[in-house]
Structure formats: structure tokens, C-alpha cells
Amino acid sequence: MAFSFVGQSATTRRLAGLRCRRVPVALGNASRNRSLFKFLRRSQVKDTPTEPPVILTEGYLFHPFSKSPFPALRARGEAIKTLAPCPVCASSHSHTQAQPKAVQYECPDCGWPSHCSAEHWKEDEEHQKYCGRLREANEDEHDLRSGRRLREFELPGPQGYEEAISFANWDVFWYTRGFPSMDTERSRRHASKLLTYPITIGGALHQHSGLTLNNQRVTPEGSRSLAALRTSLHVAPGAPETAEAAVGKPQVRIFIPGARAESSLPPHVWEQLCLLFPSTHFHLFFIGPQVSLPKPPNAQATPSPAPTPQSSPPESTTSTSTEVEEVKPAYLPNVYEPPTPAPIARLKRTRSSIERYGVPSYTVPYTPQLTITGIQANYAEVHAQFQHTLDPYSDLFFFFSPGFGFPSPESTSETSEPLLQIASPTEWGPVMPMLLASKCPIFVTGFSPADVERDVRSLSTAPEVAGEFEWVITPGPNTFGSEKWEVADFDSRVMVKTNWGIWAIRGKSRDIQDQSKFSFSL
């Protein structure tokens, strides 16, 4: 699998426990009425909702990683020091010299471990070009754990009757969709990072999408593919687009091969996709070896330790045995092949699907409009169970930063050179011809302009792919990409944005000409 900067962040873990907050309503004079036998009743203590304690305020978000009040960020700083080389040492490194030193010095301006020493930090003039982005990422990570009420994560419910949604950009979408006001750039970054997966899908499929023939992002062949899908996604013109209109319509299946962190998003985040299409029943399939599976039915939730301020004294060694029953790392670095995300919460209607698919899997009917299935296996292992039912009118594939153009860590060519992942027999090599044969549209995102270009170029060299596809959406920026910078642990100079770009293809159509039964030749 390709390198990914997307991991299970504090955003996902915070949302797992997010609940709607209700403000208690005053009852006026009703509380003054006294019953004759009221003195016989015990006084009841009302459960008044309380806000969580705020650990950090807006003006005190910046902390060097080694002095962060949160164990996960301190652990990340230690992981960076073991992975990232000093950029000054690396620039002067040659094969005859020793390996460049690891970063140990934290920049006082951004708090990121950036150089091996203060001297090299002062020598590096290039660091100032991206130091501001690193400080921004530092404060964003602390803000997610600050304990404040994250109003940007309070998602709206169903859309009002005849209230149109605009897909022009994030600002207009949030406004027309009824989101809380995004008053700061930090709120925008948090919300866009959370919603980029479902809204990227919705923004590409919706009939009011900003990807059109007029701006040359959709091709004539692509307009026909999207028109076929939209017959299942929307109702006939003039009909009300309500949940009742879903009766008799086919289920729309969205296959997400190579799913990673998107499989661990809470279901109510994916529900935002359904609210864009009220008359459609979606079935999401997360397929990949790094898909998160639910916790076992008898597993007990272990509360995570609360963050402790740096000034607090260390815990004594005489702690009880219950505090050390489960030892797990506070942070897992985002290396070339990220680890499988932690198990997700098990919902009430979650059921195992291993009997149906033959591999570790689960299915949860979250709402009448949304069903989620997670399959922990390579797509090639389960394609046979779907290939005869794939329909271009109701099925599509969505790849989130698959890394087609990255070299394969497992497969090599006859000249001992690594194959591209799109041609590797152990990765996407056998998968892409299967998907093109289905004639279903295939959407792909990339985390940077270089990543999009790398994946597009790989199509021209892949066997059984080159010359066998048509463009649906031309490569370009994604309106609903994340606005938050993701920093690589192995090099702080490498920064990307999730789902920066998007493009789409489908299997090449063949024109059939009906020849006359009788032909005359002279």
C-alpha cells in the first residue's frame, strides 16, 4: 500500500464520544407548585449537563512536543526524533560519510523537532519557509485535545424542505447546509479534515456538483456516466426528494478499496453523505487489509488516561494493578505503510459477516439510509462476490490516495527494478482491470499536485490499463479537500493535504455497428 499521512487522529477519537448538548429549559412557576405528599418524596438530584474542563485556552495552545501536557504528543515528538534526519546533515551527506544525525533540537518557534543541534537550526535558512505551517499544525493538535467545546464537530441534521445545497466551496456549503459558523481558520481546518471523505464523494456525485462540462472538469463520456448514477441518486424532476421516494429505487453501493483511516470515522460522520441525498439508500464497503474492525462483543471499554499538566508530579510506582492491565503505545508514527487503526466502537446492530465474505468483516445497518460493511482483506480476494452484480447505474469505486504511482515494496520487474503499485501483482495490478471491466466509474483522490500527477502518469504504463479507460473527471483540485496540513513524521519538510485533488475514469466503451445481413460485392 502507498504511504499515507492519514491516521486515526484525535479528531476521530473525540467524535466517538460526542453527543448533542441540550440546554435545560426553565419551567417558570411550575416548580413552585407543592404536592400534599411531597414531603414523603426523596429529593432528586437533577443531572445537569456540565461542560468538560478546559485544559488549554486559545492563547496557550503552543507547546514544544517534549513539553506538551498530552502524552500522545510527547510520544509523537519522541517518534519523530527516531525517524527524521537533520536536514542540514542530510544536505551535506554523501555515501562515503556516516548517516546524517537524527533530529534532537526542537525549534523554539514551531515546537517541532527539526535539527540535530541549535547550531544547525541557526544555519538552516530554508526552515523559515515552512516553520509557520509547523507551528499551525502544532497548535491544531493541541486545540483538538484542549477540552474546549468543539462546535465545528456538531453536525447538522436533515436538510429542510426545498432548501438547496451549494457545492461551490466549503464556506457556501457549510452555510447552506446549516453548520455552525466557522469563525476561525482553525475551525475551518478541523471541520474540513473531518468531512473531506464524505463530502468529496457527495460533491462529485451530486447533480449540483461544481464539476461540470462548462469548466471542463467533466468529459462528454463522464457526463453520461454521472447521468446514469444520478438517476439512482435523485428523484424525477418535480418530485419531492424525501425518504419515502427511496421505495423501489436500487441501493447505491460505494466500494472504497484500500480503505485506511476513513474506515474508522464514526458512522454519524458518514451519515452526512446520506443527508445530501435524502431519497437514496447507501451501502458503503470499506475493503482493505488496514480496515478497522469493531471491538469483540465481550470487550470492555477501557477509559484512556486523562492528560496531565507538565507541572504535575509524576505518578508513583505504587499504582494499582488495574492501571497497567492494558499497555498500548500512546502514538504510532505515520511511516511508509501505516499500521491498522485501533478497533472501532461496536454499535448495537453490528454483526459479523465472516460467513458471507469468508474474511474478517462486519456489517452495521446504521440508519434506514446507510449501511456500512468493513472487510479486512485485499479487494482481489472478494471481487468474485460482487463482479456479477456490479451496475454502472448504482455502483461506483472510490480510491482515497491509493498511491498507484508509488514503487511497490514487494514486487520487482525482470530487471530487478521495483514495479509501480498499479502494475504490482500483489497490490493494484490485478484489481484495476477488474474494475475497468465493470464499466463502473472509478474516482481517485491525491494528497498533492505531485501525487495526482504521479498516479495519472502510472496509468499509461500499467498493463491491461493503458488504452483501456476513458476520462470521467479530468485531474484537478478537489473543492472539498482538507485544509489542514499533515506533517510526515520521517521529515517535517514533507507536508500534504488530504484529498487535495480528484479525477475519475471508467472502462473504455466499445461501439457496436450492426452490419446488414446481405452484402453485395462487385
Side-chain angles (χ1 to χ4, degrees), residues 158-473:
Q159 190 76 356
Y161 182 68
E162 292 187 348
E163 291 183 2
I165 303 174
S166 174
F167 293 88
N169 51 54
W170 274 121
D171 290 319
V172 181
F173 172 80
W174 285 327
Y175 177 75
T176 57
R177 192 55 194 91
F179 276 80
S181 177
M182 305 296 172
D183 298 327
T184 64
E185 291 296 322
R186 181 169 291 113
S187 296
R188 292 175 53 88
R189 293 192 293 269
H190 290 336
S192 63
K193 171 66 183 299
L194 172 70
L195 297 168
T196 180
Y197 293 108
I199 308 306
T200 291
I201 297 177
L205 301 181
H206 203 277
Q207 62 184 357
H208 299 149
S209 171
L211 307 174
T212 63
L213 280 170
N214 293 335
N215 57 19
Q216 299 182 353
R217 290 300 306 275
V218 175
T219 64
E221 296 81 8
S223 64
R224 291 193 288 268
S225 288
L226 293 175
L229 278 174
R230 287 165 182 167
T231 59
S232 301
L233 292 169
H234 297 282
V235 296
E241 195 156 0
T242 60
E244 291 76 12
V247 178
K249 291 177 59 178
Q251 185 185 68
V252 175
R253 298 185 297 180
I254 301 178
F255 298 89
I256 306 179
R260 295 182 293 269
E262 55 268 28
S263 66
S264 62
L265 278 178
H268 74 271
V269 177
W270 284 106
E271 188 185 9
Q272 292 296 309
L273 172 63
C274 302
L275 299 179
L276 304 179
F277 305 90
S279 61
T280 304
H281 179 201
F282 285 97
H283 194 159
L284 303 181
F285 288 87
F286 299 112
I287 306 174
Q290 297 169 345
V291 168
S292 295
L293 297 178
K295 298 177 181 178
N298 55 354
Q300 297 180 358
T302 303
S304 58
T308 56
Q310 186 69 15
S311 58
S312 61
E315 297 181 0
S316 61
T317 57
T318 60
S319 58
T320 59
S321 59
T322 58
E323 296 179 354
V324 293
E325 285 181 357
E326 183 181 356
V327 178
K328 58 182 179 180
Y331 177 77
L332 294 174
N334 49 13
V335 291
Y336 180 80
E337 186 171 348
T340 301
I344 58 178
R346 188 178 189 87
L347 301 179
K348 182 178 180 180
R349 293 182 292 272
T350 300
R351 62 179 183 269
S352 175
S353 300
I354 190 172
E355 296 83 3
R356 179 171 183 177
Y357 301 108
V359 292
S361 55
Y362 75 95
T363 298
V364 51
Y366 185 67
T367 66
Q369 285 76 36
L370 176 62
T371 301
I372 297 176
T373 295
I375 303 176
Q376 199 175 72
N378 291 320
Y379 179 81
E381 301 176 24
V382 296
H383 174 75
Q385 305 188 40
F386 304 110
Q387 63 176 345
H388 298 299
T389 60
L390 293 175
D391 185 358
Y393 280 79
S394 58
D395 299 325
L396 64 142
F397 296 87
F398 230 101
F399 290 82
F400 290 108
S401 302
F404 292 150
F406 276 94
S408 171
E410 302 175 359
S411 305
T412 57
S413 62
E414 297 178 354
T415 59
S416 299
E417 296 181 358
L419 292 172
L420 298 182
Q421 292 193 21
I422 197 173
S424 171
T426 59
E427 286 154 307
W428 300 121
V431 174
M432 289 303 294
M434 297 176 182
L435 306 188
L436 292 175
S438 69
K439 299 298 186 292
C440 295
I442 305 170
F443 298 83
V444 187
T445 69
F447 53 72
S448 67
D451 183 52
V452 172
E453 181 181 1
R454 180 169 46 240
D455 288 351
V456 170
R457 287 181 179 273
S458 68
L459 299 176
S460 60
T461 60
E464 300 183 50
V465 175
E468 297 297 327
F469 66 89
E470 296 174 334
W471 288 103
V472 175
I473 297 177

